[in-house]
């Protein structure tokens, strides 16, 4: 192997150690700078929590990883976002495939006004997959992964809108899993749910990291400390501190982090 080739192989294997990478990322909405130069590496098969006061850029930053900001008026970014070592803003990136690889779960459960079955099968059907046995099998395995199967297996043709909020959110996670992403972005996925549904989703997230890389924005400090491996504290468009969750919550380096986690502002 030539020296150059060897070096590029080494470089790409270093990059691949991290599932997601941001290099000096800056974001503007028109003239307003929402992200002020953030670099960060996110490890595979871990849960990474984004915390920080409202308006500090958590959602903006999260949405960069599946290019959900692309259609926002006035949005502009600089810097690089890499997934598995590839720059996802390159011209030849297929954004549909990217979003299949990087699924997203939102704050408010947003099932389609369709049956439970159709909700989970939706992403597969738009990919042109039609085989009934395959769809049935994938719907069942996805619903099992979110521990919803036993609750709905006799009602697959009922409207998803008839489910409780917590069930709807688990359904939305099942819909995301059905297309087999490797990364799941979650933006405050339990903030509209009751404590029992929240506990179920937390348990689920903890379990899912065996197969997926999960990034979760949360307002709830206890939630971040319960379910995440690493925590990133954002403030006014900057990444202030990023470390093992235990360290952030027991012995943070920065005063701003300490003030936030002890509830002095936010
Ligand atoms: N579509 C948008 N147009 C203009 N400004 C926006 C838009 N979305 C977010 N912002 C602004 O960018 C900043 C970061 O917002 P956001 O990423 O939603 O923060 P967080 O999720 O931490 O609450 C805020 O000041 C917000 O008002
Ligand atoms: Mg937000």
């Amino acid at each position: 192997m030539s020296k150059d080739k060897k070096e590029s192989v080494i470089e790409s294997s270093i990059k691949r150690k991290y599932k997601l990478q941001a290099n000096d990322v800056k974001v503007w909405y028109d003239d307003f700078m929402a992200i002020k130069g953030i670099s960060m590496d996110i490890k595979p098969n871990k849960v990474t929590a984004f915390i920080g006061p409202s308006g500090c850029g958590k959602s903006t930053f999260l949405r960069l990883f599946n290019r959900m900001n692309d259609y926002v008026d006035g949005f502009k970014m600089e810097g690089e976002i890499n997934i598995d070592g590839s720059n996802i803003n390159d011209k030849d990136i297929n954004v549909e495939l990217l979003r299949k690889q990087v699924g997203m779960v939102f704050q408010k459960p947003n099932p389609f006004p369709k049956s439970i079955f159709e909700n989970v099968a939706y992403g597969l059907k738009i990919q042109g997959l039609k085989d009934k046995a395959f769809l049935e099998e994938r719907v069942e395995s996805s619903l099992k992964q979110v521990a919803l199967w036993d609750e709905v297996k006799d009602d697959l043709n009922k409207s998803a809108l008839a489910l409780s909020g917590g069930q709807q959110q688990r359904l939305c996670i099942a819909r995301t899993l059905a297309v087999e992403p490797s990364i799941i972005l979650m933006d405050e996925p339990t903030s509209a749910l009751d404590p029992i549904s929240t506990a179920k989703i937390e348990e689920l997230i903890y379990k899912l990291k065996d197969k997926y890389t999960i990034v979760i924005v949360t307002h709830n400090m206890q939630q971040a400390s319960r379910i995440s491996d690493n925590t990133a504290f954002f403030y006014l468009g900057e990444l202030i501190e990023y470390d093992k969750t235990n360290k952030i919550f027991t012995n943070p380096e920065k005063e701003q982090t300490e003030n936030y986690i002890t509830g002095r502002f936010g």
Side-chain angles (χ1 to χ4, degrees):
M1 203 186 284
S2 74
K3 188 161 168 277
D4 277 359
K5 181 99 189 276
K6 203 167 160 191
E7 272 172 10
S8 83
V9 169
I10 291 169
E11 193 187 315
S12 75
S13 74
I14 291 169
K15 276 190 173 176
R16 274 163 205 282
K17 204 169 90 184
Y18 300 107
K19 193 77 189 167
L20 308 170
Q21 280 188 308
N23 291 331
D24 198 16
V25 168
K26 298 173 180 145
V27 171
W28 292 261
Y29 293 111
D30 297 311
D31 295 337
F32 173 73
M33 194 173 191
I35 299 291
K36 299 173 181 164
I38 293 183
S39 298
M40 147 176 225
D41 298 327
I42 293 177
K43 292 237 173 92
N45 295 91
K46 299 276 180 218
V47 178
T48 300
F50 289 179
I51 63 168
S54 182
C56 68
K58 304 178 298 294
S59 297
T60 298
F61 192 67
L62 185 78
R63 291 194 304 251
L64 293 172
F65 293 107
N66 70 350
R67 292 186 44 180
M68 287 278 292
N69 293 318
D70 283 19
Y71 308 111
V72 175
D73 276 345
F75 167 80
K76 195 178 86 193
M77 88 164 261
E78 274 177 17
E80 233 181 44
I81 299 278
N82 295 306
I83 295 186
D84 290 331
S86 308
N87 183 339
I88 65 165
N89 291 300
D90 275 353
K91 279 197 301 293
D92 54 353
I93 288 286
N94 177 333
V95 179
E96 254 173 58
L97 277 182
L98 170 72
R99 300 218 176 104
K100 182 165 127 28
Q101 190 198 350
V102 189
M104 179 124 194
V105 176
F106 299 89
Q107 180 169 358
K108 263 191 78 188
N110 57 349
F112 306 125
K114 289 172 180 280
S115 71
I116 292 169
F117 185 93
E118 290 301 325
N119 264 276
V120 183
Y122 183 82
L124 299 165
K125 284 193 167 177
I126 51 174
Q127 284 174 45
L129 296 162
K130 294 197 181 91
D131 184 76
K132 196 161 165 274
F134 171 80
L135 292 175
E136 283 174 358
E137 199 242 44
R138 188 63 72 77
V139 167
E140 179 174 339
S141 67
S142 305
L143 289 169
K144 280 182 172 161
Q145 283 190 77
V146 301
L148 192 56
W149 175 250
D150 288 339
E151 290 162 54
V152 303
K153 63 177 184 242
D154 300 322
D155 300 316
L156 293 178
N157 294 317
K158 274 203 192 149
S159 170
L161 302 179
L163 297 171
S164 73
Q167 289 174 320
Q168 288 187 10
Q169 193 63 308
R170 279 183 283 148
L171 181 73
C172 291
I173 298 173
R175 183 175 67 191
T176 302
L177 301 183
V179 297
E180 301 198 315
S182 64
I183 298 158
I184 307 174
L185 311 175
M186 298 184 168
D187 197 347
E188 304 196 27
T190 63
S191 61
L193 304 181
D194 62 84
I196 292 173
S197 304
T198 297
K200 282 192 180 162
I201 303 244
E202 287 185 6
E203 204 179 308
L204 167 65
I205 291 170
Y206 198 81
K207 220 173 59 189
L208 289 175
K209 74 176 178 182
D210 286 345
K211 283 175 76 179
Y212 307 92
T213 299
I214 297 172
V215 187
I216 177 172
V217 172
T218 177
H219 249 106
N220 180 330
M221 235 72 78
Q222 284 81 20
Q223 178 166 78
S225 67
R226 274 193 300 263
I227 65 173
S228 70
D229 301 286
N230 298 304
T231 295
F233 170 59
F234 292 79
Y235 188 57
L236 297 176
E238 291 181 78
L239 176 60
I240 305 297
E241 191 166 349
Y242 174 41
D243 211 322
K244 294 227 167 12
T245 294
N246 185 38
K247 165 96 171 120
I248 294 281
F249 284 99
T250 57
N251 186 21
E253 296 290 321
K254 303 268 168 67
E255 200 181 331
Q256 278 163 311
T257 316
E258 166 124 27
N259 288 343
Y260 183 68
I261 60 157
T262 54
R264 252 167 280 182
F265 72 94

